């Protein structure tokens, strides 16, 4: 069996994608083999015969918009070939189609096909509570009919907060009122779809959870989703929610956005109230959210954010630091560097003298001290309740005394002044994470976390807003594009997502979101 496609096959696959995207029923009929033996199957059942398949297509009203990201060909002989294609739905999630093509006198046609689409069903790895919706928003508003996955740190009236831990959930009281961020979204018309999973007490960046497993990462199957806003991110990436409401302390929105090819924002510290949100490290905790496009990311900001603290005309320079790029793996640095170049960023050596390792240590120590002050009593009262990774972090945190934590706070304040001076009125482009989504190998995840914290700690120490945009990666075709677009190279695996992060001075959240929209539309 060969991997080189026989003549004319890829042109027929391209014609099929074009016909599917435009709902050209006549063309689709021609591209499926005539007769009673043609097959088409999916989760809903198997259709046998050309007539049944044609009737199904005529009744469904078109297929969801999608793009091809991988095409694999196994040639049986010059007249028969198996084509396996990986697709991404523009509404979120990944699918797969397997087709047996055969050459006839009229050209290539599909003799059998199996279609796998992302399942919208309840997934306990993603959701703790799911409704239809769980809480209904106002009848109208700028976010009407949008759905929100709420991280399991936020108070939702009538529900308990579980913080990713079953022991905590058992002892939690029912919340009498919504957290302000949740209430604002509901007032703006959004519905709360459900309460999404989180890493235990949000003290992780991987997205894994001993008790519930890791939510799937549809953009990097078999790899971690990124945490601790992992459930909210996965719900958005899978197309099960439009907005993922999360928190970002050390990268908990930025990292899953990068790992899953999403747009994400960490707001200026204190810009959106964290009232009604279980804390991790209050001097670093911020509200954040994730979406599949930059327009919705900004629309949520219009609802949640106050007016820009630094309002007025702003024409920022975009800068990129080779020294900060070098903190990421080579492939990540190359793609973020290419993004920065396409955005018109210029290289800056202003960060060359910064000891990022020392900064990350200050962040780690202060975060640990605050986390123990917030939850140490509960951890001591419930031995064995936490998974080994988070329990290990709290064990380290328990050894940070007040003198050390206080000194780290003073050092943090000095670093914050330095960060603000370095950023100034510019926008800094940095990798959102140091690597692509890693495999869930516990022995390696801590090293990945430490490497990423060297990048993410900059925003935390400076109290900066940060917006993540997916970098351009593979060539693909959208079924609704003219002429079907270019097909991915047969047999080529689609690269895993990489996020570019924009950092600006505190209070420039709205302007940064507007810049992200502009870049997303032009790059």
């Amino acid at each position: 069996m060969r991997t080189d496609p026989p003549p004319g096959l890829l042109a027929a696959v391209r014609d099929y994608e074009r016909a599917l995207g435009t709902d050209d029923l006549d063309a689709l009929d021609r591209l499926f083999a005539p007769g009673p033996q043609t097959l088409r199957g999916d989760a809903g059942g198997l259709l046998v015969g050309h007539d049944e398949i044609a009737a199904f297509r005529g009744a469904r009203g078109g297929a969801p918009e999608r793009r091809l990201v991988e095409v694999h060909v196994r040639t049986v002989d010059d007249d028969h070939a198996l084509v396996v294609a990986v697709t991404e739905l523009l509404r979120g999630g990944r699918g797969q189609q397997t087709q047996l093509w055969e050459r006839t006198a009229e050209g290539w046609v599909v003799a059998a096909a199996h279609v796998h689409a992302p399942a919208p069903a309840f997934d306990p790895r993603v959701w703790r509570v799911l409704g239809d919706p769980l809480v209904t928003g106002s009848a109208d508003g700028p976010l009407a009919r949008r759905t929100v996955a709420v991280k399991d740190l936020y108070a939702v009236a009538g529900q308990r907060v579980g913080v990713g831990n079953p022991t905590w959930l058992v002892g939690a009281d029912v919340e009498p009122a919504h957290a302000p961020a949740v209430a604002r979204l509901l007032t703006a018309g959004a519905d709360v779809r459900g309460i999404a999973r989180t890493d235990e007490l949000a003290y992780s960046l991987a997205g894994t959870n001993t008790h519930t497993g890791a939510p799937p990462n549809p953009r990097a199957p078999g790899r971690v989703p990124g945490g601790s806003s992992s459930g909210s991110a996965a719900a958005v990436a899978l197309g099960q929610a439009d907005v993922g409401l999360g928190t970002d302390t050390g990268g908990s929105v930025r990292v899953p956005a990068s790992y899953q090819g999403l747009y994400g924002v960490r707001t200026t510290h204190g810009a959106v109230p964290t009232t009604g949100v279980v804390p991790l490290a209050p001097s670093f905790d911020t509200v954040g959210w994730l979406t599949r496009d930059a327009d919705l990311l900004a629309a949520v900001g219009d609802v949640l954010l106050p007016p820009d603290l630094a309002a007025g005309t702003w024409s920022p320079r975009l800068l990129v630091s080779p020294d900060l790029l070098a903190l990421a793996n080579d492939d990540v640095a190359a793609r973020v560097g290419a993004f920065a170049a396409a955005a018109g960023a210029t290289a800056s050596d202003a960060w060359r003298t910064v000891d990022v390792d020392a900064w990350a240590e200050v962040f780690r120590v202060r975060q640990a001290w605050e986390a123990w002050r917030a939850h140490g009593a509960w951890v001591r009262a419930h031995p064995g309740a936490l998974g080994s990774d988070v329990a290990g972090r709290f064990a380290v945190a328990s050894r940070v005394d007040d003198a050390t934590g206080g000194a780290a706070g003073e050092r943090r304040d000095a670093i914050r002044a330095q960060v603000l001076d370095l950023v100034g009125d510019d926008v800094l482009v940095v990798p959102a994470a140091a690597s692509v989504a890693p495999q869930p190998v516990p022995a390696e995840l801590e090293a990945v976390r430490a490497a990423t914290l060297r990048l993410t700690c900059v925003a935390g120490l400076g109290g900066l807003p940060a917006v993540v945009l997916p970098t351009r990666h593979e060539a693909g075709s959208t079924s609704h594009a003219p002429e079907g677009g270019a097909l991915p190279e047969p047999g080529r695996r689609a690269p895993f997502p990489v996020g570019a992060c924009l950092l600006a001075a505190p209070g420039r959240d709205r302007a940064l979101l507007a810049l992200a929209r502009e870049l997303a539309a032009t790059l």
Side-chain angles (χ1 to χ4, degrees):
M1 188 174 291
R2 311 192 313 267
T3 58
D4 56 309
L9 175 63
L10 293 184
V13 173
R14 189 180 301 110
D15 289 344
Y16 173 83
E17 283 298 308
R18 181 174 60 247
L20 187 70
T22 59
D23 201 27
D24 186 341
L25 299 180
D26 290 337
L28 289 169
D29 284 347
R30 290 194 303 272
L31 286 164
F32 263 66
Q37 296 182 345
T38 308
L39 303 174
R40 184 202 180 276
D42 61 15
L46 180 66
L47 301 174
V48 181
H50 186 279
D51 291 345
E52 281 192 17
I53 296 169
F56 161 77
R57 284 204 207 90
R60 72 177 174 180
E65 293 182 275
R66 70 185 192 185
R67 61 194 294 270
L68 291 179
V69 295
E70 294 182 27
V71 174
H72 299 266
V73 177
R74 297 295 181 265
T75 299
V76 180
D77 55 42
D78 288 343
D79 296 321
H80 299 86
L82 187 72
V83 175
V84 179
V86 177
T87 60
E88 284 182 356
L89 275 62
L90 300 194
R91 70 185 185 199
R94 277 201 171 190
Q96 183 174 299
Q97 63 187 32
T98 302
Q99 299 168 327
L100 176 63
W101 288 77
E102 64 179 18
R103 192 202 307 267
T104 68
E106 289 73 32
W108 286 95
V109 293
V110 176
H114 178 264
V115 179
H116 171 74
F122 174 81
D123 186 336
R125 298 171 299 172
V126 177
W127 302 98
R128 183 173 68 76
V129 181
L130 186 63
D132 191 25
L134 185 65
V135 185
T136 302
S138 299
D140 54 17
L143 299 180
R145 294 179 297 278
R146 296 292 194 173
T147 56
V148 182
V150 176
K151 185 175 184 176
D152 196 10
L153 296 181
Y154 285 84
V156 175
Q159 303 291 328
R160 292 174 295 161
V161 178
V163 304
N165 183 274
T167 302
W168 181 291
L169 180 64
V170 167
D173 295 327
V174 172
E175 295 295 330
H178 300 304
V182 174
R184 291 180 188 179
L185 293 172
L186 290 167
T187 299
D191 297 333
V192 171
R193 182 78 194 280
I195 298 173
R197 298 293 187 184
T198 180
D199 300 7
E200 291 181 281
L201 290 162
Y203 208 175
S204 178
L205 286 179
T208 58
N209 188 301
T210 299
H211 310 285
T212 59
N217 181 344
R219 294 294 301 277
R223 293 174 177 254
V224 302
S228 61
S229 303
S230 51
S232 300
V236 173
L238 289 163
Q240 298 177 8
D242 298 313
V243 179
L245 183 62
T247 61
D248 190 303
T249 301
S252 293
V253 164
R254 289 166 284 165
V255 172
S258 185
Y259 285 179
Q260 299 194 48
L262 298 171
Y263 293 83
V265 59
R266 166 206 164 88
T267 56
T268 294
H269 188 265
V272 182
T274 54
T275 309
V277 183
V278 176
L280 175 62
S283 74
F284 298 119
D285 295 343
T286 63
V287 170
W289 57 92
L290 306 103
T291 63
R292 293 187 296 275
D293 64 80
D295 289 340
L296 182 55
L297 194 77
V300 175
D302 289 339
V303 169
L304 293 181
L305 288 165
D308 268 10
L309 304 178
T313 302
W314 186 44
S315 299
R317 295 181 303 169
L318 269 69
L319 300 178
V320 61
S321 164
D323 300 282
L324 295 181
L325 281 182
L327 297 176
N329 292 354
D330 289 346
D331 58 335
V332 171
R335 284 167 61 183
V336 174
F339 172 93
T346 57
S348 169
D349 61 1
W351 295 77
R352 181 165 297 171
T353 59
V354 170
D355 187 347
V356 180
D357 287 327
W359 283 17
E361 180 63 9
V362 169
F363 179 92
R364 186 193 67 79
V365 171
R366 180 67 185 192
Q367 180 193 42
W369 181 75
E370 293 187 19
W372 187 253
R373 284 172 62 89
H375 301 303
W378 185 90
V379 172
R380 279 186 170 145
H382 299 86
L386 294 171
S388 60
D389 56 340
V390 176
R393 290 188 196 106
F394 274 108
V396 172
S398 70
R399 297 192 288 272
V400 180
D401 58 33
D402 289 346
T404 303
E410 293 176 1
R411 179 68 181 129
R412 185 268 320 277
D413 294 342
I415 292 171
R416 177 162 296 181
Q418 188 178 359
V419 170
L420 297 182
D421 183 60
L422 284 166
V423 172
D425 289 329
D426 301 321
V427 170
L428 182 67
V429 183
V430 299
S435 68
V436 298
Q439 294 180 332
V441 180
E444 299 175 7
L445 290 179
E446 190 59 34
V448 172
R449 180 176 185 270
T452 287
L453 276 174
R454 294 193 299 168
L455 287 162
T456 60
C457 74
V458 174
L461 292 167
L464 309 180
V467 175
V468 176
L469 295 83
T471 62
R472 183 178 295 179
H473 46 103
E474 72 280 0
S477 69
T478 301
S479 57
H480 287 55
E483 302 302 318
L487 287 173
E489 180 183 345
R492 177 176 177 267
R493 294 303 305 271
F496 296 127
V498 166
C501 186
L502 310 179
L503 300 178
R508 295 205 182 273
D509 303 60
R510 288 176 179 267
L512 202 58
L513 288 167
L515 175 61
R517 290 181 64 185
E518 178 183 334
L519 293 175
T522 57
L523 296 185

